[in-house]
Amino acid sequence: MSPTVEPLASIRGRLSLRLTLLAAFSGIAIAVSVAIGVATAWIVGDFVRNEFRLRLSDLAATGASQIDAVRHQRLQKPDDERGTDYLAIRDQLRTLRDSGSNIRFVYTLRRQPDGRLAFVVDAEQDPAERSALGDIYADTTPLMHQAFDLPRGSTRSLVERNFYTDAWGTWMSAYAPLYRPDGRVEAVLGMDISADRIVAHERNYQIAIGGACALFTLLFLPLTYWLALRIRRPMAALEADMMQVRQFNLGSHPDIRSNIIEINSMAQQLEHMKSGLRSFQKYVSADLVRRLMVRGVDAELGGQQQEVTFFISDVEGFAGLCEQLEPTELVRHLGEYFTTVSAALMHQGATVDNYIGDAVPAFWNAPEPNPLHAACACEAALAGQVSIGALNQRWAAQGDAVRFRTRIGLNTGLAIVGNIGSEERLSYTVIGDQVNLVSRLEAANKLYGTAILISEHTQAEVQGLFTTRLVDRLVVYGKTVPIRVYELLGRHGDVPAGRLAAATTYEAAFQLYQQRQFTAAVELLQANLVDPETDPPSAVLLARCQRFQQNPPPPDWDGSHLQTSK
């Protein structure tokens, strides 16, 4: 069974607009404060570190220029640590270490033939201890090696880009080359300076920035509350006006003003929507207006092509009923009948078109999209027949002899959907060749004795949900190309076994009929007609087969049947 198409459930908010705006503005304030704080901390920290690196670079370059490279070149073996050259250079390094604040280690390194770096002079080295001259420096960095490759005569020094931390603290190192008289690099002066104080200053600054951000946020809260109130007042007026529109009270014109462009635009769009509703209410039902209210413009002539499933019903012998009944009785019965059929249609989300005499036209998939439009139409047709049967029983119980037997046609196809009519009077309806076809299908019920006929287009959409019976290949009145016409029997699983068996036998006989095997088809159809009223389509096809037994169709007959009247 196809499900009834229900509107999407509305989602109820859990926060008021005031709290939502307050939270949003506060979040923005916090985000801005944090962003400014982080950016400021990064800029200042980067500036401080760059200044720190420049200072260290100058110290290393100046210190390297004071070292006698020729004397340093004479230091080659551990015993040289007790010589005057070593002691003189060590004293120079110690003086350099002590002259600058936070300088912790000063030393020289020489590159070995294998590329490794070895200590030569260390300001911390005591000659009385084990000699360090020639010890390999294990924790070298790429920048140390780059210092050996600086151009001849360069007065530059290289400084590590970032601080590093070890067991003795946080450091930054610089390296400056010592040049021999021939311009070659004799060694590199290394200088390690403590960065603990700089890091502490950065941490304190970050704490201060965090406090300033928190204070800024607290000071901004009253402003956010005021802004939330300014925005909420016109929004509350908009909400109240929308509630009036929901009840179709379209005459209100509240004065909604705001400094926010979007709120003014919303108020303007609401007025446009009410204008459109006022136009639609002139010619369509309130339910249709409710579903079309999102358009928000005055109704204008025009439409668009789209796929729609069409429905039309007609009361059998209505002209005779008009003659038999008094006008008041006819209007009363017809009103109850329209109410019954329309209820079945509306329950499945149909758009009911203008009533035409006793006919009830309707369609699905416009104005609201409905991917199950064909299935909903079949559900409505079946439910409508059940409701009409119940209506006839109620009339009989009331002693009323009136009976309405309804024939229904369904078709799915492209049509023009929109506002059709004149400038003064419009109708939201469908027009097109496929709409005409559904009227021919409804009329064809009389030919076959059926209650609901559907086209091959509709059957293709619902064959997985509903049980149908191929009735004929019919060339409808006014057309030249045959289409397959099906009887809608019911939902899968709901069709009685006897009726299902009769439909299966009929389709087998119809297949033989298409193949010109009329005698075999007659035998099958006669099995369906133990009681002539059991299966009216079988009686129709049987008569046709018997006629063809006597007068076979021409050789170019394609198995179709021509509908000769509307």
Side-chain angles (χ1 to χ4, degrees), residues 227-472:
L227 287 173
L229 286 179
R230 287 293 301 264
I231 295 175
R232 181 185 176 278
R233 288 192 184 103
M235 292 294 289
L238 274 173
E239 181 186 14
D241 198 25
M242 288 178 182
M243 292 300 294
Q244 293 295 316
V245 173
R246 183 181 180 184
Q247 300 171 7
F248 289 94
N249 297 325
L250 307 177
S252 61
H253 298 282
D255 186 17
I256 299 176
R257 297 181 182 179
S258 173
N259 293 324
I260 298 176
I261 295 175
E262 286 75 12
I263 294 179
N264 289 329
S265 178
M266 288 174 63
Q268 183 180 15
Q269 293 304 318
L270 181 59
E271 287 301 317
H272 288 326
M273 183 176 69
K274 289 193 293 185
S275 175
L277 290 175
R278 283 190 289 268
S279 296
F280 277 119
Q281 277 188 320
K282 297 175 182 177
Y283 61 96
V284 292
S285 67
D287 182 73
L288 180 58
V289 174
R290 189 177 297 113
R291 288 186 285 165
L292 297 176
M293 62 189 303
V294 294
R295 298 198 175 188
V297 294
D298 286 343
E300 296 179 355
L301 280 169
Q304 62 181 8
Q305 181 173 308
Q306 66 183 85
E307 185 178 70
V308 181
T309 295
F310 318 98
F311 169 105
I312 192 166
S313 67
D314 193 69
V315 177
E316 181 180 323
F318 183 71
L321 291 173
C322 292
E323 294 178 357
Q324 297 172 15
L325 297 175
E326 293 292 331
T328 54
E329 285 296 303
L330 178 63
V331 170
R332 180 177 67 82
H333 285 88
L334 200 56
E336 293 182 20
Y337 169 78
F338 284 153
T339 300
T340 300
V341 176
S342 297
L345 294 169
M346 300 300 294
H347 184 67
Q348 292 298 327
T351 299
V352 179
D353 210 337
N354 295 327
Y355 301 123
I356 307 171
D358 60 312
V360 182
F363 52 91
W364 283 261
N365 205 34
E368 291 181 344
N370 181 355
L372 302 176
H373 52 90
C376 288
C378 291
E379 290 281 3
L382 292 170
Q385 290 289 14
V386 172
S387 298
I388 293 166
L391 178 63
N392 287 329
Q393 291 177 2
R394 180 163 61 84
W395 284 342
Q398 297 171 354
D400 199 331
V402 175
R403 300 290 183 273
F404 277 12
R405 185 179 184 277
T406 302
R407 299 187 295 252
I408 295 174
L410 298 178
N411 180 37
T412 301
L414 295 176
I416 301 299
V417 184
N419 302 317
I420 310 300
S422 66
E423 293 291 343
E424 292 76 21
R425 188 68 176 176
L426 299 174
S427 177
Y428 187 80
T429 187
V430 291
I431 58 174
D433 183 62
Q434 296 297 320
V435 183
N436 298 332
L437 175 59
V438 75
S439 298
R440 304 293 186 267
L441 293 176
E442 178 276 316
N445 281 291
K446 183 177 181 181
L447 173 64
Y448 301 106
T450 51
I452 307 174
L453 284 181
I454 67 175
S455 70
E456 59 188 19
H457 313 299
T458 304
Q459 194 272 344
E461 296 288 332
V462 303
Q463 57 184 342
L465 300 171
F466 296 89
T467 300
T468 59
R469 178 238 297 259
L470 176 60
V471 175
D472 207 349

Side-chain angles (χ1 to χ4, degrees), residues 57-354:
S57 176
D58 291 341
L59 286 173
T62 302
S65 66
Q66 296 173 1
I67 304 298
D68 187 345
V70 174
R71 174 177 282 182
H72 189 278
Q73 186 179 2
R74 292 196 289 265
L75 302 176
Q76 297 293 331
K77 55 186 183 298
D79 291 344
D80 292 338
E81 283 192 353
R82 294 176 179 84
T84 57
D85 290 334
Y86 183 91
L87 295 176
I89 293 175
R90 187 194 67 179
D91 290 341
Q92 281 184 296
L93 296 183
R94 287 183 174 180
T95 300
L96 183 62
R97 177 196 66 188
D98 297 337
S99 64
S101 60
N102 300 313
I103 298 176
R104 182 64 184 87
F105 301 109
V106 183
Y107 48 88
T108 62
L109 299 170
R110 179 182 289 135
R111 185 156 60 183
Q112 302 297 307
D114 61 2
R116 294 186 297 172
L117 304 184
F119 280 107
V120 181
V121 182
D122 186 352
E124 306 300 315
Q125 182 66 35
D126 187 348
E129 299 176 356
R130 186 187 70 81
S131 173
L133 196 153
D135 287 354
I136 299 301
Y137 191 96
D139 299 327
T140 61
T141 66
L143 201 66
M144 289 182 179
H145 293 276
Q146 292 176 23
F148 283 92
D149 299 325
L150 288 172
R152 293 186 178 190
S154 173
T155 58
R156 290 178 54 205
S157 64
L158 303 181
V159 184
E160 296 286 355
R161 183 141 193 91
N162 297 310
F163 295 148
Y164 64 92
T165 302
D166 58 18
W168 293 274
T170 301
W171 313 95
M172 181 172 283
S173 300
Y175 312 101
L178 306 180
Y179 292 102
R180 298 174 186 175
D182 61 2
R184 291 183 297 167
V185 177
E186 155 61 19
V188 165
L189 173 70
M191 182 180 293
D192 298 340
I193 188 166
S194 175
D196 287 334
R197 190 173 65 179
I198 299 299
V199 172
H201 282 327
E202 286 186 356
R203 187 177 299 110
N204 292 334
Y205 182 78
Q206 290 169 354
I207 294 173
I209 288 294
C213 290
L215 180 61
F216 174 79
T217 301
L218 291 175
L219 293 176
F220 193 72
L221 285 178
L223 178 61
T224 62
Y225 184 79
W226 177 78
L227 287 173
L229 286 179
R230 287 293 301 264
I231 295 175
R232 181 185 176 278
R233 288 192 184 103
M235 292 294 289
L238 274 173
E239 181 186 14
D241 198 25
M242 288 178 182
M243 292 300 294
Q244 293 295 316
V245 173
R246 183 181 180 184
Q247 300 171 7
F248 289 94
N249 297 325
L250 307 177
S252 61
H253 298 282
D255 186 17
I256 299 176
R257 297 181 182 179
S258 173
N259 293 324
I260 298 176
I261 295 175
E262 286 75 12
I263 294 179
N264 289 329
S265 178
M266 288 174 63
Q268 183 180 15
Q269 293 304 318
L270 181 59
E271 287 301 317
H272 288 326
M273 183 176 69
K274 289 193 293 185
S275 175
L277 290 175
R278 283 190 289 268
S279 296
F280 277 119
Q281 277 188 320
K282 297 175 182 177
Y283 61 96
V284 292
S285 67
D287 182 73
L288 180 58
V289 174
R290 189 177 297 113
R291 288 186 285 165
L292 297 176
M293 62 189 303
V294 294
R295 298 198 175 188
V297 294
D298 286 343
E300 296 179 355
L301 280 169
Q304 62 181 8
Q305 181 173 308
Q306 66 183 85
E307 185 178 70
V308 181
T309 295
F310 318 98
F311 169 105
I312 192 166
S313 67
D314 193 69
V315 177
E316 181 180 323
F318 183 71
L321 291 173
C322 292
E323 294 178 357
Q324 297 172 15
L325 297 175
E326 293 292 331
T328 54
E329 285 296 303
L330 178 63
V331 170
R332 180 177 67 82
H333 285 88
L334 200 56
E336 293 182 20
Y337 169 78
F338 284 153
T339 300
T340 300
V341 176
S342 297
L345 294 169
M346 300 300 294
H347 184 67
Q348 292 298 327
T351 299
V352 179
D353 210 337
N354 295 327

Side-chain angles (χ1 to χ4, degrees), residues 35-54:
I36 292 175
V38 169
T40 304
W42 183 84
I43 292 172
V44 172
D46 189 63
F47 174 79
V48 171
R49 292 188 183 206
N50 284 336
E51 290 297 315
F52 194 74
R53 293 177 72 249
L54 288 173

